[in-house]
């Protein structure tokens, strides 16, 4: 029983105690809430996070489905690739996108090469769309991992039985695979949502002027403006938002999966 | 098999690669290509050069690399120790208490890294613990952030560990400490090294909390990359990013070699 | 000092309201092999784990070698244990696995090698000392597990379904070897948990039959087989025809209005009145009209016929809702379904086994 005390003490000193100090130092909520920059950041954060989560869920589901059920040579090493992908920092994606869609980059370069125009049409990187694209790219593997694990549990016999009964692929996906995948989708989705709400590197590298989210606002207030109190207010909002959305999402998901289980049991 | 006809399977695979390659493989390739270029105004980069790497080998970028390596090494080792300790200790607790402990250790994942950085600034900016502006505060921040992952993977490995091993050892007369050192830790070794690798990689790429905390004399590589690209030196930044990726990959590969040697089944 | 011997003294194990072991009283003598036989969920494994110390009794005491070990942690109990999935340490070679207990108990360094060699010798695994567990077959792993448990020279050896992960052929070979081990180690008490009656009948000196958290019956295999104490024992140890009826005389049972059978003469099995279940072993039932007198004869139409290679099983409806199965040597001309036949069995072989439903 006592053995758990030392690591807990470390955690308390380095994480829990500082966090309570942030809450205690946050002051002047009304003033911060009235600032347009705060409201913009809040709106951006939520919209981008929800959009990126939806995108990552969709893309991740399709990709995992193919890897798991339409095997091809090299599918095994792909899952290793996913692990490595997740070990790299997120800002690399934004950096890469700069070379793909940036004003000096591959896509625009291709366009000017082909059409002879001076500038290309792709100019969305410094808008929320750029952040969205980067977040979908970066967080999709986070959805794929639990999905691949769940798909490996789907019994081939079950699918063959469905196929032998005349079910076509879309129907099998809907009625056999999707119910099995729901918990994994839920787990992956909720994780991605929180990660997106908290994402900093991608937004920072996009060029902070165009898009501000809560984490970059915290950084700006604390480091650039030296306004610790204001930063603490935004931090509290961000933490609450993450926790609340996360909780809400889990609640919704619990209801969905329970309904699914009941239907299967009937 | 979901798709039966060969033609349909080919089609699905084609769509897959159309989605997968541009989205996931392309980012690494373009960064790699850009790191050897000076300009990218056509379909392909132009002005091939290795000067970016020569600059890295001479300038203070090397310091940034060692800074990152040292920070990551320290943070991942401490995180592994704390996380493993907590996971092992939590195993013996009553179920409810254990859930609370597990949740507490997972909490840093749900809290934005920027807030972790901010909280350390707020907490340690005044005596008795004046750490603001020191290297230690960067290491602490990284440790806090990666401990969650260490704790999570060790906890997962512990639940997978067949209790029969521990019980057989106990029935043979081994005390709990003996069981821990001679049975549990050796059996957990593959998971521990995997966790260490993950922590190391995450710490190598940590930017958010670091941006809040780094002192001028302890500037990790991701911060350096940001500074470089923010100045507009995109191609030099790409070279630095390649160095970061290669260093991370090398460590991950090394760790996975230990892992395969240490896995018994 | 008596090293061996296990005693359960009113041992009860409960999780909340669920009682998984209900006041078990049982003594395993020094050098005895006691089989705990029962279906899954009968509490047999819980009983073994209570001896090992992995389960703490809610009430009662566990004694090993006369010493109360109820409060002792597993590593202080001086036991050896072999489990179904072997649980060999995958990171240690065979010899290190066997030496594990000795090192853990801080046996003198000079002694370890000798005792490891001895345990490997005893289980015939000497040639595999330098292998890793993953390089061994299931049967070989089980031998190493036994060697590992024996190396510490325990007074008590606990075996938890040790053969159930092996295929049938290996299992019978291992049974023979376990019996030999038992002869080689006359002082070691063994508690052998199994759901397989043939293992229990082959190996055990005595069998304790468990069901629904309770000890149902305990005796030598022969006793249990010949005179089961309950309908459950009768059906679980060997196969049985169970006929329910009513006493109508000191040794006559009415199974159906026009069917009375004479049963084994009065044993100390309680008052002979009211309802009763009678057990008749199928292989003790003969087909056809009896040669001698003094036998029970029942007649009816054949409802089932199974050919089992060396034998036939003939099931006959002898009364409304009452069937008797006879297991007889292979018949040259088996009766057809629906054909009326006679079955006979000795009064001695019709054993009252208590009140139905008890």
């Amino acid at each position: 029983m006592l053995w758990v005390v030392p690591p807990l003490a470390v955690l308390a000193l380095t994480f829990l105690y500082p966090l309570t100090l942030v809450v205690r130092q946050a002051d002047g909520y009304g003033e911060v809430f009235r600032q347009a920059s705060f409201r913009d950041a809040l709106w951006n954060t939520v919209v981008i996070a929800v959009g990126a989560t939806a995108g990552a869920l969709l893309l991740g589901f399709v990709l995992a489905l193919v890897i798991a059920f339409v095997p091809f040579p090299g599918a095994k090493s792909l899952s290793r690739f996913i692990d490595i992908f997740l070990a790299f920092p997120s800002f690399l994606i934004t950096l890469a996108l700069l070379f793909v869609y940036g004003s000096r980059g591959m896509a625009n370069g291709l366009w000017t090469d082909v059409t002879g125009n001076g500038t290309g049409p792709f100019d969305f990187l410094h808008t929320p769309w750029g952040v969205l694209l980067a977040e979908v790219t970066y967080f999709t593997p986070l959805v794929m991992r639990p999905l691949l694990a769940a798909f490996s549990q789907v019994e081939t016999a079950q699918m063959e039985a469905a196929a032998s009964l005349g079910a076509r692929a879309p129907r099998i996906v809907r009625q056999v695979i999707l119910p099995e995948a729901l918990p994994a989708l839920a787990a992956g989705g909720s994780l991605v949502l929180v990660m997106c709400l908290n994402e900093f590197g991608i937004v920072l590298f996009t060029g902070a002027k165009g898009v501000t989210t809560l984490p970059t606002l915290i950084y700006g207030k604390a480091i650039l403006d030296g306004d610790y109190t204001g930063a603490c207010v935004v931090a509290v909002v961000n933490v609450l938002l993450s926790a609340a959305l996360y909780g809400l999402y889990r609640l919704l998901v619990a209801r969905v999966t329970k309904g699914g289980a009941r239907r299967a049991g009937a | 098999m979901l798709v039966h006809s060969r033609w349909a399977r080919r089609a699905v695979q084609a769509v897959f690669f159309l989605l997968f390659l541009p989205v996931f493989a392309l980012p690494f390739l373009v960064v790699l290509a850009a790191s050897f270029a000076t300009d990218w105004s056509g379909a392909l980069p132009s002005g091939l050069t290795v000067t970016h790497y020569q600059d890295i080998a001479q300038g203070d970028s090397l310091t940034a690399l060692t800074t990152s390596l040292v920070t990551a090494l320290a943070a991942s080792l401490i995180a592994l120790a704390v996380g493993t300790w907590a996971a092992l200790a939590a195993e013996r607790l009553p179920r409810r208490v254990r859930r609370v402990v597990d949740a507490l250790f997972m909490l840093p994942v749900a809290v934005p890294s920027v807030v972790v950085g901010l909280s350390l600034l707020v907490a340690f900016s005044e005596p008795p613990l004046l750490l603001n502006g020191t290297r230690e505060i960067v290491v602490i921040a990284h440790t806090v952030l990666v401990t969650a992952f260490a704790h999570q993977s060790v906890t997962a490995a512990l639940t997978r560990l067949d209790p029969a091993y521990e019980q057989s050892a106990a029935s043979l007369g081994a005390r709990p400490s003996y069981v821990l050192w001679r049975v549990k830790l050796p059996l957990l070794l593959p998971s521990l090294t995997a966790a260490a690798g993950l922590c190391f990689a995450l710490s190598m790429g940590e930017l958010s909390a670091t941006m809040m905390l780094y002192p001028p004399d302890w500037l990790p590589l991701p911060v350096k990359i940001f500074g470089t690209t923010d100045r507009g030196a995109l191609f030099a930044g790409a070279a630095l990013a390649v160095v970061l990726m290669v260093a991370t990959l090398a460590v991950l590969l090394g760790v996975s070699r230990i892992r395969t040697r240490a896995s018994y089944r | 000092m008596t090293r061996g011997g296990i005693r359960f003294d009113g041992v009860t194990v409960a999780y909340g309201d669920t009682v998984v072991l209900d006041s078990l009283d049982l003594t395993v003598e020094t050098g005895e092999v006691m089989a705990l036989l029962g279906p899954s969920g009968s509490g047999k494994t819980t009983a073994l784990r209570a001896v090992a110390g992995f389960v703490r009794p809610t009430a009662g005491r566990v004694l090993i070698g006369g010493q109360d070990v109820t409060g002792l942690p597993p590593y202080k109990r001086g036991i050896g244990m072999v489990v179904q999935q072997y649980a060999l340490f995958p990171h240690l070679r065979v010899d290190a696995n066997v030496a594990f207990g000795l090192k853990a108990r801080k046996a003198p360094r000079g002694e370890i090698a000798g005792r490891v060699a001895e345990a490997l010798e005893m289980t015939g695994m000497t040639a595999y000392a330098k292998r890793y567990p993953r390089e061994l077959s299931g049967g070989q792993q089980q031998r190493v597990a036994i060697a590992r448990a024996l190396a510490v020279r325990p007074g008590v050896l606990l075996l938890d379904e040790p053969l159930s992960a092996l295929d049938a052929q290996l299992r019978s070979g291992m049974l023979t070897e376990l019996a030999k081990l038992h002869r080689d180690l006359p002082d070691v008490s063994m508690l052998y948990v199994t759901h397989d009656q043939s293992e229990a009948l082959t190996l055990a000196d005595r069998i304790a039959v468990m069901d629904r958290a309770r000890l149902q019956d305990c005796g030598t295999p022969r006793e249990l087989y010949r005179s089961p104490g309950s309908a459950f024992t009768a059906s679980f140890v060997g196969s049985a025809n169970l006929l329910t009826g009513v006493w109508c005389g000191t040794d006559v049972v009415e199974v159906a209005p026009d069917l009375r059978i004479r049963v084994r003469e009065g044993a100390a099995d309680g008052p002979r009145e009211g309802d009763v279940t009678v057990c008749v072993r199928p292989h003790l039932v003969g087909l056809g009209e009896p040669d001698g007198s003094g036998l029970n004869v029942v007649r009816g139409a054949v409802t089932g016929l199974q050919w089992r290679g060396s034998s036939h099983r003939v099931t006959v409806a002898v009364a409304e809702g009452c069937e008797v199965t006879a297991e007889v040597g292979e018949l040259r001309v088996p009766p057809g379904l629906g054909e009326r036949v006679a079955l006979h069995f000795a009064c001695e072989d019709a054993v009252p086994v208590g009140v139905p439903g008890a």
Side-chain angles (χ1 to χ4, degrees), chain C:
Chain C
M1 182 184 114
T2 47
R3 285 206 323 135
I6 305 166
R7 206 170 104 213
F8 295 90
D9 192 358
V11 175
T12 298
V13 178
Y15 299 108
D17 290 340
T18 323
V19 176
V20 289
L21 187 63
D22 196 354
S23 56
L24 175 66
D25 287 302
L26 187 68
T27 303
V28 186
E29 305 294 344
T30 302
E32 186 182 34
V33 179
M34 172 74 81
L36 283 179
L37 178 66
S40 58
S42 60
K44 57 189 194 305
T45 297
T46 306
L48 176 132
R49 294 171 68 78
V51 179
F54 302 132
V55 177
R56 180 146 299 191
T58 326
R61 300 186 305 156
V62 177
L63 293 88
I64 295 177
Q67 189 202 352
D68 186 347
V69 297
T70 319
L72 285 185
Y75 58 90
K76 286 188 180 161
R77 296 195 175 198
I79 49 171
M81 187 163 120
V82 178
V83 295
Q84 180 183 341
Q85 63 278 41
Y86 325 130
L88 295 180
F89 305 125
H91 58 296
L92 300 177
R93 293 177 196 275
V94 164
D95 54 357
N97 258 286
V98 176
F100 184 90
L102 297 168
K103 285 184 181 159
R105 293 180 190 201
K106 302 207 170 67
R109 209 161 260 278
E111 221 175 86
I112 292 178
R115 282 172 64 178
V116 168
E118 180 190 279
L120 287 175
E121 174 78 45
M122 206 179 278
T123 48
M125 289 301 292
T126 310
Y128 300 91
K130 288 296 168 198
R131 299 253 186 118
Y132 278 103
R134 62 166 184 271
E135 299 165 341
L136 303 178
S137 71
Q140 291 168 335
Q141 290 190 36
Q142 192 57 289
R143 283 159 199 259
V144 176
I146 293 169
R148 183 176 68 175
L150 289 178
V152 295
R153 293 189 183 149
V156 163
L157 187 60
L158 307 175
L159 301 134
D160 186 4
E161 305 261 5
L163 306 184
S164 55
L166 301 177
D167 60 43
Q169 209 171 355
L170 263 175
R171 203 179 303 171
S172 78
M174 281 301 287
L175 266 178
T176 319
E177 298 210 20
L178 281 175
K180 180 176 165 294
L181 267 182
H182 175 40
R183 286 195 301 276
D184 293 347
L185 302 164
D187 295 334
V188 177
S189 303
M190 296 191 197
L191 192 62
Y192 189 104
V193 165
T194 180
H195 64 271
D196 183 316
Q197 45 148 322
S198 65
E199 287 177 22
L201 289 171
T202 313
L203 197 63
D205 297 318
R206 281 194 299 155
I207 299 175
V209 181
M210 309 271 304
D211 186 40
R212 285 171 292 172
R214 283 170 178 272
L215 177 65
Q216 299 290 332
D217 226 336
C218 182
T220 65
R222 206 175 166 74
E223 279 166 11
L224 290 185
Y225 197 78
R226 296 281 301 165
S227 327
S230 70
F232 179 80
T233 308
S235 60
F236 208 78
V237 182
S239 54
N241 289 298
L242 294 175
L243 311 173
T244 54
V246 185
W247 285 109
C248 55
T250 50
D251 41 14
V252 178
V253 172
E254 185 177 278
V255 176
D258 51 353
L259 181 61
R260 293 186 172 193
I261 54 176
R262 190 167 281 275
V263 301
R264 185 185 290 180
E265 279 171 24
D269 50 13
R272 294 198 149 182
E273 55 192 37
D275 294 343
V276 68
T277 300
V278 177
C279 160
V280 186
R281 298 290 182 193
H283 70 277
L284 298 175
V285 180
L287 178 65
E289 296 295 335
D291 303 333
S293 58
L295 297 175
N296 286 303
V297 183
V298 292
R299 295 185 178 82
V302 174
T303 57
L305 184 71
Q306 279 183 0
W307 177 68
R308 296 193 157 192
S310 61
S311 67
H312 266 105
R313 280 173 82 93
V314 184
T315 304
V316 175
V318 297
E320 184 69 30
C322 174
E323 293 186 329
V324 172
T325 298
E327 185 164 338
V328 294
E330 191 190 9
L331 299 165
R332 279 182 196 281
V333 188
L337 285 180
E339 192 177 319
R340 284 191 67 82
V341 295
L343 300 176
H344 59 269
F345 50 89
C347 308
E348 183 61 25
D349 296 331
V351 187
V353 291
V355 184

Side-chain angles (χ1 to χ4, degrees), chain A residues 110-186:
Chain A
L110 203 61
W111 180 272
T112 51
D113 278 2
V114 172
T115 61
N117 289 352
T119 53
F122 301 104
D123 184 27
F124 62 90
L125 272 187
H126 301 287
T127 71
W129 291 105
V131 179
L132 190 72
L133 180 66
E135 290 192 357
V136 169
T137 308
Y138 186 66
F139 289 120
T140 293
L142 219 52
V143 178
M144 290 171 70
R145 230 178 1 182
L147 271 180
L148 285 175
F151 285 161
S152 68
Q153 304 288 315
V154 176
E155 283 183 48
T156 338
Q158 220 177 340
M159 285 173 45
E160 279 166 1
S164 74
L165 292 170
R168 288 173 158 279
R171 200 182 166 83
I172 297 179
V173 169
R174 211 170 53 238
Q175 296 198 331
V176 179
I177 299 176
L178 196 59
E180 290 281 332
L182 269 186
L185 274 176

